[in-house]
């Protein structure tokens, strides 16, 4: 299938070229020329279907023509070799745990798929350039570490990610370099976009993206939602903690492809640009606000354009499927405490916002079940979670082993010129 630029429908690329380019030459994001329909039986309960098999079914209509089905099956099996448990937290609410991969965050699926896709398609050395608000960086670092022919450069906002997140992305070494940017995530994102539009830079050092702006990061995440529907049925409301909105856009893509569900909640923190848009109809990007749920500290989300395009740029159609929700830090801490006290279950701050986002829709739809995406292991935000629940969340040995490793990062100003100079040095 071909993909077109959201800025220029005439600028197209097949699946493999869209992955390798990351962004269209003239800016915008790649978007499929058509939304394929997957048969209803694919989404229905199939106890013996593994997540990687479901991912193959979802991805095949997009990948056909660029690769063989056997290669797609192999890549999906290698990328998704861990489960997505559903944990009942109360009578009508489930946590979809997406942190059982190598870096304990939902970004692992997309990053691992992308690494293998680039390795499969590329015949030259490329640099994967990534802006991260926390978990993307570590997932990409692990997914691409040691992959021949690929360098990784990660940009993260200084002082705005958790210590565990920082250790995960600055202690990998090898072909992975971390840049500590003296600014916010939005600055990092703007620097990356500027680099992709720099033809001279691209000629000297070919770049591709591993953010959710890349279709190979975006589309595989539809598997999360489909796996929940297979196990719980179609009467689900999904509450999606959202920063750059790639995960929500993936769920909406699955819905447009035929996946049954009752709707979605775009749940976020004080960076409420999308909930405000759903309420007022005015899109007003703004500088991001630092919060305890830092992976959602995004003031101008890249995937907003995909949210609109999925519904033909029709606000009312988007509102029919998605409602907005936001929560401040104090209420997020209180929700972590309430969930733990009532059930013993531990949620990270992003999961807490997702949990709270289900309150109103579940009250309004008594026949529905709620699923909130629990996007990262609570131990990755131990400094926030521990005071809220009165104890430190459990930390796997593989994560504890990196806490005291020496940090390896280069500090740069928050300017496109500084990134350009680094990449050409």
């Amino acid at each position: 299938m071909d993909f077109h630029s959201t800025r220029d429908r005439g600028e197209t690329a097949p699946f493999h070229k869209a992955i390798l380019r990351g962004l269209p030459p003239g800016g915008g994001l790649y978007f499929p020329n058509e939304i394929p329909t997957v048969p209803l039986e694919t989404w229905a309960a199939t106890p013996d279907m593994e997540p990687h098999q479901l991912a193959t079914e979802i991805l095949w209509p997009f990948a056909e023509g660029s690769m063989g089905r056997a290669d797609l099956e192999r890549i999906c099996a290698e990328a998704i070799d861990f489960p997505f448990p559903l944990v009942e937290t109360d009578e009508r609410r489930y946590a979809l745990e997406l942190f059982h991969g190598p870096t304990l965050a939902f970004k692992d699926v997309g990053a691992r798929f992308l690494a293998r896709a680039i390795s499969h398609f590329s015949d030259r050395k490329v640099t994967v350039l990534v802006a991260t608000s926390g978990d993307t960086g570590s997932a990409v670092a692990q997914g691409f570490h040691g992959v021949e022919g690929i360098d990784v450069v990660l940009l993260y906002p200084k002082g705005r990610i958790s210590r565990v997140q920082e250790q995960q992305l600055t202690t990998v070494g090898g072909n992975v370099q971390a840049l500590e940017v003296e600014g916010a995530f939005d600055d990092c994102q703007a620097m990356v976009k500027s680099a992709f539009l720099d033809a001279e830079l691209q000629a000297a050092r070919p770049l591709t993206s591993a953010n959710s702006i890349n279709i190979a990061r975006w589309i595989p995440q539809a598997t999360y939602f489909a796996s929940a529907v297979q196990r719980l049925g179609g009467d689900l409301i999904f509450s999606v903690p959202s920063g750059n909105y790639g995960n929500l856009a993936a769920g909406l893509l699955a819905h447009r492809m035929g996946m049954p569900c009752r709707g979605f909640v775009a749940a976020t923190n004080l960076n409420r640009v999308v909930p405000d848009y759903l309420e007022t109809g005015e899109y007003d990007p703004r500088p991001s606000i630092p919060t305890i749920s830092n992976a959602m500290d995004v003031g101008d989300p890249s995937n907003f354009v995909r949210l609109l395009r999925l519904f033909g740029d029709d606000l009312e159609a988007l509102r029919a499927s998605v409602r907005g929700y936001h929560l401040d830090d104090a209420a997020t801490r209180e929700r972590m405490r309430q969930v733990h006290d009532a059930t013993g279950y531990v949620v990270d701050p992003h999961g807490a916002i997702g949990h709270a986002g289900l309150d109103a829709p579940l009250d309004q739809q008594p026949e529905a079940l709620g699923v909130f995406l629990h996007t990262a292991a609570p131990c990755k935000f131990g400094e926030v979670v521990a005071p809220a629940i009165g104890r430190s969340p459990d930390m796997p040995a593989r994560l504890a082993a990196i806490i005291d490793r020496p940090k390896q990062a280069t500090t740069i100003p928050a300017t496109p010129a500084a990134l350009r100079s680094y990449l050409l040095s």
Side-chain angles (χ1 to χ4, degrees):
M1 179 185 292
D2 279 353
F3 292 73
H4 63 269
S5 167
T6 55
R7 290 188 182 176
D8 178 4
R9 181 121 195 165
E11 178 64 58
T12 64
F15 184 72
H16 63 286
K17 287 187 178 178
I19 290 173
L20 293 176
R21 289 177 182 170
L23 288 175
L29 301 182
Y30 280 117
F31 192 84
N33 279 358
E34 59 183 279
I35 305 297
T37 299
V38 172
L40 185 61
E41 54 265 28
T42 299
W43 314 106
T46 311
D48 59 347
M49 182 176 280
E50 297 292 333
H52 70 267
Q53 296 171 313
L54 182 55
T56 300
E57 296 298 326
I58 293 170
L59 282 156
W60 178 240
F62 302 103
E64 188 176 10
S66 284
M67 66 192 309
R69 187 174 174 104
D71 287 323
L72 178 63
E73 291 173 346
R74 173 185 56 79
I75 289 173
C76 288
E78 291 175 0
I80 310 175
D81 61 356
F82 47 88
F84 311 143
L86 274 166
V87 179
E88 187 173 5
T89 61
D90 55 60
E91 187 177 354
R92 296 173 56 210
R93 194 171 341 217
Y94 292 79
L96 180 60
E97 292 188 345
L98 304 179
F99 50 78
H100 292 272
T103 70
L104 310 181
F106 81 97
K107 307 291 180 75
D108 280 324
V109 163
R112 286 159 64 84
F113 181 89
L114 176 61
R116 287 155 179 80
I118 290 178
S119 180
H120 177 77
F121 290 130
S122 181
D123 59 359
R124 60 176 180 169
K125 188 176 181 66
V126 297
T127 295
V128 175
L129 188 61
V130 183
T132 181
S133 56
D135 289 327
T136 291
S138 55
V140 170
Q142 290 296 328
F144 284 86
H145 183 235
V147 176
E148 187 175 351
I150 297 177
D151 289 332
V152 179
V153 178
L154 307 170
L155 286 73
Y156 71 96
K158 183 176 182 177
R160 293 198 180 193
I161 66 175
S162 76
R163 180 167 181 255
V164 170
Q165 288 174 319
E166 186 172 34
Q167 286 297 104
Q168 281 190 302
L169 62 92
T170 63
T171 61
V172 178
N175 63 324
V176 178
Q177 296 93 46
L179 300 182
E180 187 177 32
V181 176
E182 295 175 318
F185 169 74
D186 295 304
D187 298 311
C188 300
Q189 188 161 255
M191 293 162 69
V192 167
K193 289 181 178 179
S194 176
F196 278 106
L197 298 177
D198 187 331
E200 184 180 351
L201 173 59
Q202 284 273 24
R205 187 169 183 175
L207 304 173
T208 190
S209 169
N211 284 91
S212 57
I213 54 180
N214 193 305
I215 60 169
R217 272 280 320 280
W218 169 42
I219 298 174
Q221 295 176 139
T223 310
Y224 305 144
F225 302 85
S227 71
V229 168
Q230 280 199 327
R231 286 173 283 174
L232 295 177
D235 284 330
L236 302 184
I237 301 167
F238 289 102
S239 182
V240 188
S242 301
N244 232 355
Y245 288 83
N247 214 8
L248 176 60
L252 291 169
L253 176 65
H255 188 38
R256 289 293 316 280
M257 292 174 70
M259 183 192 77
C261 69
R262 286 177 173 255
F264 299 81
V265 180
T268 192
N269 52 31
L270 291 178
N271 295 283
R272 46 185 283 185
V273 60
V274 171
D276 284 354
Y277 170 76
L278 290 167
E279 180 180 343
T280 67
E282 297 292 328
Y283 184 64
D284 180 27
R286 64 205 73 163
S288 60
I289 301 168
T291 73
I292 61 172
S293 48
N294 64 275
M296 301 189 293
D297 292 350
V298 183
D300 187 8
S302 289
N303 283 287
F304 175 72
V305 65
R306 283 187 175 134
L307 299 184
L308 295 180
R309 193 59 54 89
L310 283 162
F311 293 91
D313 298 312
D314 184 336
L315 172 58
E316 293 308 316
L318 179 61
R319 282 172 169 163
S321 292
V322 184
R323 68 163 68 197
Y325 180 81
H326 69 278
L327 205 64
D328 64 22
D329 282 355
T332 300
R333 289 187 175 95
E334 178 61 16
R335 180 58 60 126
M336 287 190 285
R337 184 195 66 78
Q338 290 174 351
V339 173
H340 181 261
D341 288 354
T343 68
Y345 189 71
V346 181
V347 289
D348 85 310
H350 308 80
I353 293 174
H355 185 282
L358 289 169
D359 289 354
L362 287 179
D363 284 344
Q364 295 163 5
Q365 301 184 53
E367 302 303 315
L369 295 176
V371 173
F372 68 94
L373 275 60
H374 198 177
T375 53
C379 62
K380 298 189 75 170
F381 304 92
E383 64 268 32
V384 174
V385 175
I389 67 172
R391 66 178 179 86
S392 295
D394 296 336
M395 180 176 291
R398 69 180 185 274
L399 194 57
I402 70 166
I403 292 300
D404 295 321
R405 288 182 187 171
K407 168 182 165 182
Q408 302 175 55
T410 300
T411 302
I412 66 170
T415 66
L419 176 59
R420 190 178 199 275
S421 176
Y422 177 86
L423 292 172
L424 292 176
S425 64

Coordinates of all heavy atoms in Angstrom, one line a residue, residues 386-414:
A386 N 6.1 6.1 45.0 CA 6.3 5.7 46.4 C 5.6 6.6 47.5 O 4.9 6.1 48.4 CB 7.8 5.6 46.7
P387 N 5.7 7.9 47.4 CA 5.0 8.7 48.3 C 3.5 8.6 48.3 O 2.8 8.8 49.3 CB 5.5 10.2 47.9 CG 6.7 10.0 47.1 CD 6.6 8.7 46.4
A388 N 3.0 8.3 47.1 CA 1.5 8.2 46.9 C 1.0 6.9 47.6 O -0.1 6.9 48.1 CB 1.2 8.2 45.5
I389 N 1.7 5.8 47.5 CA 1.2 4.5 48.0 C 1.8 4.1 49.3 O 1.4 3.1 49.9 CB 1.3 3.4 46.9 CG1 2.7 3.1 46.7 CG2 0.6 3.9 45.7 CD1 2.9 1.8 45.8
G390 N 2.9 4.8 49.7 CA 3.5 4.4 51.0 C 4.6 3.4 50.9 O 5.0 2.9 52.0
R391 N 5.0 3.0 49.7 CA 6.1 2.0 49.6 C 6.6 2.1 48.2 O 6.0 2.7 47.3 CB 5.5 0.6 49.8 CG 4.5 0.1 48.8 CD 4.1 -1.3 49.0 NE 3.2 -1.8 48.1 CZ 3.5 -2.4 46.9 NH1 4.8 -2.5 46.6 NH2 2.5 -2.8 46.1
S392 N 7.8 1.6 48.0 CA 8.5 1.6 46.7 C 7.9 0.5 45.9 O 7.8 -0.6 46.3 CB 10.0 1.5 46.8 OG 10.6 2.6 47.5
P393 N 7.6 0.8 44.6 CA 7.1 -0.3 43.7 C 8.2 -1.3 43.4 O 9.4 -0.9 43.5 CB 6.7 0.5 42.5 CG 7.4 1.8 42.5 CD 7.6 2.1 43.9
D394 N 7.8 -2.5 43.2 CA 8.8 -3.5 42.9 C 9.6 -3.2 41.6 O 9.1 -2.6 40.7 CB 8.1 -4.9 42.7 CG 7.4 -5.4 43.9 OD1 7.8 -4.9 45.0 OD2 6.5 -6.1 43.8
M395 N 10.9 -3.5 41.6 CA 11.8 -3.2 40.5 C 12.5 -4.5 40.0 O 13.1 -5.1 40.8 CB 12.9 -2.2 40.9 CG 13.8 -1.8 39.7 SD 15.0 -0.5 40.1 CE 13.9 0.9 40.2
P396 N 12.3 -4.9 38.8 CA 12.9 -6.1 38.3 C 14.5 -5.9 38.3 O 15.0 -4.8 38.2 CB 12.5 -6.1 36.8 CG 11.3 -5.3 36.7 CD 11.4 -4.2 37.8
A397 N 15.1 -7.1 38.5 CA 16.6 -7.1 38.6 C 17.3 -6.4 37.4 O 18.3 -5.7 37.6 CB 17.1 -8.5 38.8
R398 N 16.7 -6.6 36.2 CA 17.4 -6.1 35.0 C 17.4 -4.6 35.0 O 18.2 -4.0 34.4 CB 16.7 -6.7 33.8 CG 15.3 -6.2 33.4 CD 14.9 -6.9 32.1 NE 13.6 -6.4 31.7 CZ 12.4 -6.9 32.0 NH1 12.4 -7.9 33.0 NH2 11.3 -6.5 31.5
L399 N 16.4 -4.0 35.7 CA 16.4 -2.5 35.8 C 17.2 -2.0 36.9 O 18.0 -1.0 36.7 CB 14.9 -2.0 35.9 CG 14.6 -0.6 35.7 CD1 15.1 -0.1 34.3 CD2 13.2 -0.3 35.9
A400 N 17.2 -2.7 38.0 CA 18.0 -2.3 39.1 C 19.5 -2.3 38.8 O 20.3 -1.5 39.3 CB 17.8 -3.2 40.3
A401 N 19.9 -3.2 37.8 CA 21.3 -3.3 37.5 C 21.9 -2.1 36.8 O 23.1 -1.9 36.8 CB 21.5 -4.6 36.6
I402 N 21.0 -1.3 36.2 CA 21.6 -0.1 35.5 C 21.5 1.2 36.3 O 22.1 2.2 35.8 CB 20.8 0.1 34.1 CG1 19.4 0.6 34.4 CG2 20.8 -1.2 33.3 CD1 18.7 1.1 33.2
I403 N 20.9 1.2 37.4 CA 20.7 2.4 38.2 C 22.0 3.2 38.5 O 22.1 4.4 38.4 CB 19.9 2.2 39.5 CG1 18.5 1.7 39.1 CG2 19.9 3.4 40.3 CD1 17.7 2.7 38.3
D404 N 23.1 2.5 38.8 CA 24.3 3.1 39.2 C 25.4 3.1 38.1 O 26.5 3.5 38.3 CB 24.9 2.4 40.4 CG 24.0 2.6 41.6 OD1 23.4 3.7 41.8 OD2 23.8 1.6 42.4
R405 N 25.0 2.8 36.9 CA 25.9 2.8 35.8 C 26.2 4.3 35.4 O 25.3 5.2 35.6 CB 25.4 2.1 34.5 CG 25.4 0.6 34.6 CD 24.8 0.0 33.3 NE 24.6 -1.4 33.4 CZ 24.1 -2.1 32.5 NH1 23.6 -1.5 31.3 NH2 23.9 -3.4 32.6
P406 N 27.4 4.6 35.0 CA 27.7 6.0 34.6 C 26.9 6.5 33.4 O 26.8 5.8 32.4 CB 29.2 6.0 34.3 CG 29.5 4.6 34.0 CD 28.6 3.8 34.8
K407 N 26.4 7.7 33.5 CA 25.6 8.3 32.5 C 26.5 8.8 31.3 O 27.6 9.3 31.6 CB 24.9 9.5 33.1 CG 24.2 10.5 32.1 CD 23.6 11.6 32.8 CE 23.2 12.8 32.0 NZ 22.7 13.9 32.8
Q408 N 26.1 8.5 30.1 CA 26.9 8.9 28.9 C 25.9 9.8 28.0 O 25.1 9.2 27.3 CB 27.4 7.7 28.1 CG 28.2 6.8 28.9 CD 28.6 5.5 28.1 OE1 29.1 5.6 27.0 NE2 28.3 4.4 28.6
A409 N 26.1 11.1 28.1 CA 25.2 12.0 27.4 C 26.0 13.3 27.0 O 26.9 13.7 27.8 CB 24.0 12.3 28.1
T410 N 25.7 13.9 25.9 CA 26.2 15.2 25.5 C 25.2 16.2 25.6 O 24.1 16.1 25.1 CB 26.7 15.1 24.1 OG1 27.7 14.1 23.9 CG2 27.3 16.4 23.6
T411 N 25.5 17.3 26.3 CA 24.5 18.4 26.5 C 24.6 19.4 25.4 O 25.7 19.8 25.0 CB 24.7 19.1 27.8 OG1 24.6 18.2 28.9 CG2 23.7 20.2 28.1
I412 N 23.5 19.7 24.8 CA 23.5 20.7 23.7 C 22.4 21.7 23.9 O 21.4 21.4 24.5 CB 23.3 20.0 22.3 CG1 22.0 19.4 22.1 CG2 24.4 19.0 22.0 CD1 21.7 18.9 20.7
P413 N 22.5 22.9 23.3 CA 21.4 23.9 23.3 C 20.2 23.4 22.5 O 20.3 22.5 21.7 CB 22.0 25.1 22.7 CG 23.5 24.9 22.7 CD 23.7 23.4 22.6
A414 N 19.0 24.0 22.8 CA 17.8 23.6 22.2 C 17.6 24.3 20.9 O 16.6 25.1 20.7 CB 16.6 23.8 23.1

